Structures are given as structure tokens and as C-alpha cells.
Amino acid sequence: MPVYDYKCREHGLFNTLATMDDAAKPAECPTCKVLSPRVIVLPPHIAAMDPANRAAQDRNEKSRHEPVFSTADRRAHDQEHSRSCGCGSPKPGKSMLFYTADGKKMFPSMRPWMISH
């Protein structure tokens, strides 16, 4: 039988054995015998965890149990996305390079701080 946590208003947290059928039912406080609701107690390091770290761990757990496999259909979908989605990303294999009227190379919006040679 599993051990469940309960919280009495007067005496605080306590735990007791209960069947899985009785998991949602309240239990008697061992001190005052008042029915107390079940609570889920998180370890302090999880409860106080930074939300970004918690999201990263959830994502990591998901990828462990639900891996994404590269298949021909998935690659075809990804290529179609890059061609027709309108997100503004350059087409695969197409260079952003062009030449000005006086023959200098220009990479628009790529690295304006770089000087062409």
C-alpha cells in the first residue's frame, strides 16, 4: 500500500498508509481524529526551483521519453516550411551576397560592421 500525505488544520502534516481506492478520500488525524484532506508535498528543492530550470527539466524529461526521429516525411515537411511559410528566413543554399555597381561585395543585413576586402 502507498503512503499518502495529509494535512490537519490543527496539527499539520502527517502521512498514513491507504489503498489506492482510498487515495482521494480524507484520513483521520492521528492526534485529534478529525478528517483531513490529502495534500501533495513537493521536495523543497523542486518547490523553490527557478521556473526556467523547471521548464528545461520538463523539456529534457519529455525528450527522453518522446524522442523526435528524423524521417523522410519530417524532413520533407521541414523543407516545405522553409520555402512557403513566409517567416523571412533565406532559402537553403541561396547566398545573401550581391555586388554593388562599382563591383564591391555586399551582404545586406548580415554583418554591417565587417569591411569588404
Side-chain angles (χ1 to χ4, degrees):
M1 280 197 301
V3 176
Y4 294 107
D5 295 314
Y6 298 89
K7 186 171 183 180
C8 174
R9 288 183 184 218
E10 296 292 322
H11 301 102
L13 291 173
F14 66 94
N15 52 34
T16 187
L17 290 171
T19 63
M20 293 177 80
D21 292 335
D22 296 337
K25 297 177 184 173
E28 284 187 355
C29 172
T31 307
C32 64
K33 306 296 184 204
V34 173
L35 288 178
S36 303
R38 181 173 166 220
V39 294
I40 298 176
V41 180
L42 293 176
H45 69 279
I46 292 177
M49 185 184 294
D50 178 46
N53 286 345
R54 186 178 304 175
Q57 285 191 356
D58 289 344
R59 189 171 42 253
N60 202 15
E61 279 296 314
K62 180 180 177 188
S63 67
R64 180 186 302 172
H65 301 294
E66 301 172 18
V68 176
F69 296 101
S70 177
T71 62
D73 292 337
R74 185 167 185 85
R75 287 189 299 272
H77 176 267
D78 291 345
Q79 286 178 347
E80 187 64 32
H81 168 76
S82 65
R83 285 191 206 120
S84 65
C85 75
C87 67
S89 61
K91 308 267 186 291
K94 180 156 172 74
S95 173
M96 295 291 290
L97 167 71
F98 71 89
Y99 292 89
T100 62
D102 58 351
K104 294 180 182 172
K105 292 181 184 178
M106 187 170 187
F107 299 90
S109 72
M110 296 275 296
R111 294 184 180 135
W113 61 88
M114 291 183 67
I115 300 172
S116 181
H117 297 279

